[in-house]
Amino acid sequence: ELKVEQNPLFLSMQEGKNYTIYCNYSTTSDRLYWYRQDPGKSLESLFVLLSNGAVKQEGRLMASLDTKARLSTLHITAAVHDLSATYFCAAGGGADGLTFGKGTHLIIQP
Amino acid sequence: NAGVMQNPRHLVRRRGQEARLRCSPMKGHSHVYWYRQLPEEGLKFMVYLQKENIIDESGMPKERFSAEFPKEGPSILRIQQVVRGDSAAYFCASTFGTANNEQFFGPGTRLTVL
């Protein structure tokens, strides 16, 4: 059974700082997803990582995938308040759907 | 190109009533997933459907819950005799082609059981 663990689950940081969210998964997965969710809203797709060593960047967010370590990271550079949200990683996606982590609640304070 | 549509967006039911949640996939998508999100939790897979077929329902409770995706019309998640523990956000996602394609999520239906 695929399990996905994120850490930290809660993160409060100041604007301008850098930080990394970690996502470990328990069994082989073809791909790894990162989503953003604002309170009361749906999931916004951020990144789809398809292969070992994949790195993708969008603005202040950068995601990477190490399939050998079964680890993905989401790095935030020079955080701004607008990035406050809950971030989920998810793996799998076959017939039994995606398996999500519990999410990282990120609060960025001015 | 409209995205995944869900309705209603908010649904309030009393214990024992039935809840019907609808999901219209993106144009051209013929695969639908349903997920449930409890407060402060990640999404949990419930069921995966193609048109007129349930492919995998391993995440769906055995009683009171059912899902369908008819040849015409939206996919429907039905919860009979709702209980307070059914209160959650229910999201559907659609994909094109095989199950391994990227899933696009709808806005969700927030069910509150009084």
Side-chain angles (χ1 to χ4, degrees):
Chain A
E1 179 189 351
L2 176 61
K3 293 184 179 179
V4 177
E5 290 189 0
Q6 283 180 242
N7 72 84
L9 298 183
F10 296 94
L11 178 56
S12 179
M13 54 193 292
Q14 288 189 316
E15 282 190 326
K17 300 290 187 183
N18 304 333
Y19 211 84
T20 301
I21 300 170
Y22 298 88
C23 175
N24 291 92
Y25 53 100
S26 60
T27 63
T28 302
S29 177
D30 286 341
R31 53 195 66 194
L32 194 292
Y33 299 83
W34 284 97
Y35 292 92
R36 168 182 172 148
Q37 186 179 39
D38 292 295
K41 304 292 186 182
S42 186
L43 276 73
E44 174 190 353
S45 178
L46 295 175
F47 300 107
V48 181
L49 302 169
L50 300 176
S51 60
N52 187 43
V55 177
K56 289 193 174 181
Q57 182 162 7
E58 182 73 34
R60 300 174 187 274
L61 302 178
M62 183 173 71
S64 65
L65 179 62
D66 181 343
T67 57
K68 293 179 182 178
R70 295 178 185 160
L71 170 68
S72 180
T73 61
L74 180 65
H75 187 72
I76 303 155
T77 302
V80 293
H81 178 67
D82 287 351
L83 291 179
S84 297
T86 299
Y87 292 85
F88 291 97
C89 65
D96 58 354
L98 291 168
T99 300
F100 284 81
K102 290 192 172 184
T104 297
H105 298 268
L106 176 62
I107 298 172
I108 299 169
Q109 301 180 14
Chain B
N1 184 16
V4 179
M5 312 265 293
Q6 288 187 250
N7 69 81
R9 297 289 303 276
H10 299 274
L11 183 61
V12 178
R13 285 287 179 266
R14 297 191 180 278
R15 281 178 295 171
Q17 292 184 317
E18 178 180 289
R20 282 189 179 229
L21 289 61
R22 295 175 186 78
C23 169
S24 297
M26 286 180 71
K27 187 176 180 180
H29 287 191
S30 58
H31 299 231
V32 166
Y33 294 83
W34 284 93
Y35 294 85
R36 176 164 64 177
Q37 184 179 32
L38 295 171
E40 305 299 322
E41 293 280 331
L43 279 67
K44 295 279 197 282
F45 166 76
M46 299 181 74
V47 61
Y48 167 46
L49 310 106
Q50 295 178 17
K51 287 278 188 182
E52 301 184 278
N53 283 306
I54 297 174
I55 305 303
D56 189 320
E57 55 182 349
S58 59
M60 200 148 71
K62 295 286 185 283
E63 297 180 354
R64 301 189 298 108
F65 285 73
S66 62
E68 63 176 2
F69 190 11
K71 185 177 180 181
E72 300 291 337
S75 175
I76 295 175
L77 179 67
R78 182 184 179 203
I79 311 171
Q80 294 178 288
Q81 298 176 327
V82 295
V83 300
R84 287 209 173 121
D86 296 333
S87 295
Y90 293 82
F91 291 94
C92 78
S94 72
T95 69
F96 170 77
T98 67
N100 280 323
N101 285 343
E102 184 176 0
Q103 297 178 24
F104 294 86
F105 284 83
T109 294
R110 279 148 185 88
L111 172 66
T112 301
V113 179
L114 302 178

